């Protein structure tokens, strides 16, 4: 499934940029996956996504078959956040 495919590509993806958190639901709304990748700028995010796509790191195996919808959010850390 999707999680196994993601795990198979995780080391390659982490070589491109760090990961803050990856999680998925087991109760409630099932099959939701959340990944938080920190970037300094939108240009950095675009560059990493381009390189990951070109290297066939994303989407991971099985992702497109399992995908029903996808949403991206760009968030800024709160002033008190340790990830500043």
């Amino acid at each position: 499934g999707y999680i196994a495919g993601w795990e198979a590509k995780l080391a390659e993806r982490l070589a491109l940029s760090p990961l803050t958190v990856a999680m998925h639901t087991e109760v409630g709304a099932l099959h939701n996956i959340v990944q938080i990748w920190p970037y300094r700028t939108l240009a950095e995010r675009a560059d990493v996504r381009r390189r990951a796509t070109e290297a066939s790191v994303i989407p991971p195996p099985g992702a497109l078959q399992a995908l029903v919808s996808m949403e991206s959010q760009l968030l800024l850390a709160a002033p008190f956040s340790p990830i500043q």
Side-chain angles (χ1 to χ4, degrees), residues 41-52:
T41 65
L42 289 175
E44 179 189 23
R45 177 185 181 273
D47 180 59
V48 169
R49 288 187 59 84
R50 179 190 53 76
R51 289 186 292 133

Side-chain angles (χ1 to χ4, degrees), residues 45 49 70-75:
R45 177 185 181 273
R49 288 187 59 84
M70 186 171 88
E71 176 182 324
S72 293
Q73 295 182 2
L74 303 175
L75 307 169

Side-chain angles (χ1 to χ4, degrees), residues 14 17-22 35-39 83:
L14 288 172
S17 69
L19 173 65
T20 298
V21 67
Q35 301 171 24
I36 300 175
W37 300 88
Y39 300 102
I83 64 170

Side-chain angles (χ1 to χ4, degrees), residues 1-72:
Y2 175 80
I3 292 176
W6 193 84
E7 288 174 339
K9 293 290 187 172
L10 183 57
E12 291 175 75
R13 179 60 183 83
L14 288 172
L16 298 173
S17 69
L19 173 65
T20 298
V21 67
M23 56 191 158
H24 67 93
T25 58
E26 292 185 356
V27 296
L30 295 178
H31 311 298
N32 286 333
I33 298 166
V34 174
Q35 301 171 24
I36 300 175
W37 300 88
Y39 300 102
R40 289 180 293 275
T41 65
L42 289 175
E44 179 189 23
R45 177 185 181 273
D47 180 59
V48 169
R49 288 187 59 84
R50 179 190 53 76
R51 289 186 292 133
T53 302
E54 288 173 356
S56 298
V57 174
I58 60 171
L64 296 180
Q65 295 82 359
L67 186 65
V68 174
S69 67
M70 186 171 88
E71 176 182 324
S72 293

